[in-house]
Amino acid sequence: MSEKILVIGESRDGVLRNVTFEAIAAAKKISSDTEVVGVLLGSENLADQAQEMIYYGANRVITVIHEKLASYTSEGYGQAVLSVIEDESPYGIVMGHTAIGKDLTPKIASKLEIGLISDAIEINLDGDQVVFTRPIYSGKAFEKKVITDGIVFATIRPNNIPSLDRDESRSGEIQEKSVDIADLRTVIKEVLRKATDGVDLSEAKVVVAGGRGVKSADGFKPLYELAEVLGGAVGASRGACDADYCDYSLQIGQTGKVVTPDLYIAVGISGAIQHLAGMSNSKVIVAINKDPEANIFNVADYGIVGDLFEVIPMLIEEVKALKA
Ligand SMILES: Cc1cc2nc3c(=O)[nH]c(=O)nc-3n(C[C@H](O)[C@H](O)[C@H](O)COP(=O)(O)OP(=O)(O)OC[C@H]3O[C@@H](n4cnc5c(N)ncnc54)[C@H](O)[C@@H]3O)c2cc1C
């Protein structure tokens, strides 16, 4: 294999995030003749996660285990990743465009004085050049970018580049690397995570999002039920969050999360431009709104003009019947 591409993996509660597997597929798009080298950081045994990366297509995985890597800090993770990059001299580096990816990768790029293409949703080859497509102006346009010098370094948006199928017959080496991590200026004492059930919103394949039309926190309950039968997650407009119907961690849009699920169901959401910024690149959009003039219908593939309190129970029953 001529080239080596590092894929920096990310896990939550000991389970690798899907975007890690998508990043492996992205590395193979950058170069099909490449050795994909997974990189996993943490403070405890990472062998099972490393094996998962191999099942999803990594040829080799380097694990760095250190007590200072128990929680993410850009300083600690940065030192560990830079040390791996120094050893491996990769042709490329890929990571998910997640909260950690957005924080870590610019710091690495600046330390190495190399370019970085962030939030790529598509990778194509044009002759020898690797062309990355990324949304700009809140998803209203797309730009194509190439890196002309140095390491091909990119973050990829979750849910856009399909991962390879998991294949337990794939094999590869797992190497443990020891790294000296200098004293950190920021030490995480404790992480208190907000309780969230089920599927992670930013990686969900189906999102059921509620707006001010849902009218109350109780009104969100049927949305949770619909999300559950569809195996998806619940999101919200800022209108619903401001009205205290749900937590701000559910907010989708310009000042919330950006999601690109296979199916986005907008329920009682008017379709303000700031909301569209977070969901208009979803693959299929269904809008349920009682106002036929609502702007959300301009981006929807399917529209239901009706009262959400009548439509949602019907949808839940239909989906349950289909699954029975
Ligand atoms: C700087 C800035 C940043 C912002 N960032 C974001 C952001 O990140 N995300 C975001 O979402 N917004 C954001 N906003 C706010 C945005 O402009 C809108 O105010 C907000 O999206 C509106 O939320 P909504 O669609 O839930 O409410 P509304 O606009 O009030 O729409 C409610 C909809 O529900 C429908 N409805 C009512 N009852 C029913 C019923 N029974 N059945 C069916 N439909 C019904 C109505 O017809 C209406 O279309 C931002 C605004 C600013 C200025």
Side-chain angles (χ1 to χ4, degrees):
M1 289 178 201
S2 62
E3 285 148 353
K4 204 185 286 179
I5 299 183
L6 300 185
V7 170
I8 305 169
E10 202 188 312
S11 63
R12 192 173 164 168
D13 299 330
V15 178
L16 282 173
R17 300 186 65 167
N18 276 338
V19 72
T20 300
F21 308 132
E22 293 166 2
I24 294 171
K28 290 187 184 282
K29 277 178 171 275
I30 291 171
S31 168
S32 55
D33 181 31
T34 193
E35 182 191 16
V36 176
V37 183
V39 181
L40 287 171
L41 315 174
S43 60
E44 284 168 13
N45 192 330
L46 295 165
D48 288 350
Q49 292 180 33
Q51 192 58 55
E52 273 307 300
M53 283 189 89
I54 290 166
Y55 290 158
Y56 275 93
N59 302 96
R60 175 161 64 95
V61 178
I62 297 168
T63 61
V64 184
I65 298 169
H66 195 292
E67 58 179 3
K68 289 180 184 153
L69 300 176
S71 291
Y72 171 76
T73 58
S74 56
E75 223 186 332
Y77 272 50
Q79 288 180 42
V81 171
L82 283 166
S83 166
V84 174
I85 294 171
E86 198 177 301
D87 284 0
E88 298 288 331
S89 308
Y91 163 75
I93 308 172
V94 187
M95 189 172 185
H97 195 69
T98 58
I100 290 181
K102 284 184 230 179
D103 188 67
L104 180 64
T105 51
K107 287 174 178 145
I108 291 173
S110 103
K111 281 263 186 225
L112 296 175
E113 296 185 4
I114 57 173
L116 168 67
I117 293 174
S118 63
D119 204 16
I121 57 165
E122 207 180 297
I123 301 170
N124 293 296
L125 294 181
D126 181 8
D128 284 351
Q129 279 195 318
V130 188
V131 182
F132 294 86
T133 305
R134 60 187 299 275
I136 52 172
Y137 304 126
S138 299
K140 285 196 280 302
F142 298 90
E143 66 174 3
K144 292 190 185 296
K145 280 192 144 179
V146 296
I147 287 184
T148 54
D149 191 28
I151 297 173
V152 176
F153 193 8
T155 60
I156 57 154
R157 183 180 286 197
N159 271 341
N160 281 271
I161 296 169
S163 55
L164 308 180
D165 289 335
R166 185 176 186 276
D167 180 352
E168 289 193 12
S169 71
R170 290 195 181 107
S171 60
E173 201 185 339
I174 301 173
Q175 300 168 323
E176 207 174 306
K177 174 178 161 59
S178 64
V179 171
D180 284 331
I181 297 182
D183 279 346
L184 305 178
R185 281 167 295 183
T186 312
V187 179
I188 309 280
K189 291 283 191 196
E190 191 183 5
V191 178
L192 295 174
R193 194 175 297 140
K194 277 187 179 165
T196 48
D197 293 332
V199 187
D200 185 306
L201 177 57
S202 46
E203 289 191 24
K205 300 275 181 214
V206 178
V207 173
V208 180
R212 208 155 17 209
V214 175
K215 295 197 171 62
S216 67
D218 266 359
F220 262 77
K221 285 182 184 158
L223 275 64
Y224 277 99
E225 202 184 333
L226 180 59
E228 196 185 328
V229 293
L230 290 170
V234 171
S237 70
R238 179 158 145 189
C241 300
D242 284 346
D244 217 12
Y245 302 163
C246 56
D247 192 86
Y248 278 102
S249 60
L250 301 191
Q251 186 184 320
I252 291 165
Q254 187 183 313
T255 45
K257 292 194 167 81
V258 175
V259 296
T260 39
D262 293 342
L263 173 62
Y264 189 91
I265 306 180
V267 185
I269 293 177
S270 59
I273 190 79
Q274 296 90 351
H275 186 77
L276 302 188
M279 47 64 73
S280 61
N281 290 321
S282 303
K283 291 175 194 80
V284 174
I285 298 172
V286 176
I288 303 167
N289 199 303
K290 67 179 184 184
D291 173 9
E293 302 297 324
N295 190 46
I296 192 75
F297 288 124
N298 292 325
V299 295
D301 300 284
Y302 300 94
I304 302 174
V305 178
D307 185 337
L308 69 92
F309 298 102
E310 290 170 16
V311 175
I312 296 291
M314 284 196 270
L315 273 180
I316 294 169
E317 287 315 310
E318 281 295 322
V319 178
K320 279 185 180 167
L322 280 173
K323 287 170 91 177

